């Protein structure tokens, strides 16, 4: 049984930082990508960032480039999203998804099969 667990959300002032963590367990294959997505009220879910199974490939949505950094520690089966210079428009529920992926790179919008976590709320006050 695949489990994806996020943590690290919270309330922060604009300009502040947060680090989200995503731990994946139960996947039999090590070749999976991990992506972060967010969903805010009135908006569709969007892919924020993703990282390839080796950690060598990353992708970001334009609105977070230069502010967010994704990384992974395969020894801990954990992916991190370091968020800096946070803005009120970053407020959303953030979800992590693990996607079996045998290709290079990573799918920013998710793949055909995605294992989702329960989400962690990020609120940025102005």
């Amino acid at each position: 049984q695949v489990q994806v667990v996020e943590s690290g959300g919270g309330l922060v002032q604009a300009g502040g930082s947060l680090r989200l963590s995503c731990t994946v367990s139960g996947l039999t294959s090590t070749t999976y990508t991990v992506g972060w997505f967010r969903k805010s009220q009135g908006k569709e879910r969007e892919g924020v960032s993703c990282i390839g199974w080796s950690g060598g490939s990353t992708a970001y949505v334009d609105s977070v480039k230069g502010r967010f950094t994704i990384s992974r520690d395969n020894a801990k089966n954990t992916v991190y999203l370091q968020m800096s210079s946070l803005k009120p428009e970053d407020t959303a529920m953030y979800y992590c998804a693990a996607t079996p992926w045998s290709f290079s790179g990573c799918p920013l919008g998710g793949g055909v099969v995605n294992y989702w976590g329960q989400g962690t709320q990020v609120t940025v006050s102005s």
Side-chain angles (χ1 to χ4, degrees):
Q1 181 179 348
V2 179
Q3 284 192 316
V4 178
V5 180
E6 306 100 331
S7 62
L11 173 64
V12 64
Q13 288 188 329
S17 299
L18 280 175
R19 189 178 79 159
L20 306 183
S21 298
C22 171
T23 301
V24 180
S25 61
L27 269 175
T28 55
S29 171
T30 58
T31 55
Y32 62 91
T33 69
V34 174
W36 284 99
F37 302 78
R38 64 186 179 188
K39 175 79 171 68
S40 56
Q41 212 164 13
K43 294 185 178 180
E44 293 187 357
R45 184 182 66 200
E46 69 169 345
V48 175
S49 181
C50 64
I51 188 165
W53 62 271
S54 69
S57 297
T58 60
Y60 300 90
V61 68
D62 285 347
S63 59
V64 307
K65 284 180 180 177
R67 301 188 297 121
F68 291 10
T69 302
I70 193 169
S71 61
R72 70 188 291 169
D73 183 341
N74 284 342
K76 297 181 179 180
N77 295 328
T78 299
V79 170
Y80 305 98
L81 185 67
Q82 178 67 47
M83 306 186 295
S84 303
S85 301
L86 283 162
K87 304 175 181 180
E89 51 264 44
D90 293 319
T91 295
M93 183 71 82
Y94 282 71
Y95 298 90
C96 175
T99 301
W101 191 257
S102 57
F103 309 103
S104 61
C106 63
L108 189 57
V112 175
V113 177
N114 305 292
Y115 298 96
W116 294 94
Q118 80 289 350
T120 185
Q121 178 68 36
V122 172
T123 303
V124 184
S125 63
S126 56

